[in-house]
Amino acid sequence: MRHLIDAPHSDIFDVLTYIRFPLAPLARSERVQATKATGLDGYEDEMRAFLEHVLNGYETQGIRELEPQRLADLLRIRYGGVNDAKRALGSVADIRGAFIDIQKHLFSHRPAA
């Protein structure tokens, strides 16, 4: 479907939005850029760096990088383990909350035209 509407770098979310509403699909890079510009406010530097890492993974690898079960892998890759991640970022609840919030921002805000 992505190729049919000439949106190979968009996710299915944008394809369906395009089909249902008169909104042009966004490339993942556009979503990431908009989220980095406005969605990271209020986070401490280390959490901001982790969320940027998550966003970069989403941009290059796609929507699977945002699946809930990927969170532990992302923490291991970046910090070596969950305990090290907790020392750097805070509680598991805080980390999971930021992981979910950044996704909400990613898909609920469209960049200004």
Side-chain angles (χ1 to χ4, degrees):
M1 281 181 40
R2 284 178 253 203
H3 294 287
L4 289 174
I5 65 166
D6 195 27
H9 301 290
S10 297
D11 285 317
I12 192 69
F13 176 85
D14 285 296
V15 173
L16 294 175
T17 300
Y18 174 78
I19 292 169
R20 177 66 177 98
F21 304 103
L23 297 173
L26 296 175
R28 287 190 299 268
S29 60
E30 293 173 298
R31 286 196 175 283
V32 167
Q33 184 178 34
T35 300
K36 284 181 178 180
T38 62
L40 298 173
D41 296 339
Y43 290 108
E44 297 292 326
D45 290 342
E46 189 60 37
M47 182 65 82
R48 180 184 298 260
F50 173 67
L51 294 173
E52 286 179 354
H53 175 75
V54 170
L55 291 170
N56 291 339
Y58 161 74
E59 183 176 357
T60 59
Q61 301 299 317
I63 196 76
R64 289 196 173 136
E65 288 296 297
L66 302 178
E67 292 176 351
Q69 61 269 26
R70 281 289 293 148
L71 182 56
D73 292 337
L74 293 167
L75 294 172
R76 264 191 298 282
I77 290 166
R78 186 152 176 94
Y79 297 98
V82 174
N83 286 332
D84 293 328
K86 287 181 355 186
R87 279 190 283 280
L89 301 173
S91 71
V92 171
D94 290 342
I95 297 167
R96 186 177 312 282
F99 185 70
I100 291 168
D101 286 344
I102 204 67
Q103 292 179 50
K104 289 177 184 175
H105 193 85
L106 193 63
F107 291 104
S108 66
H109 294 85
R110 291 185 68 85

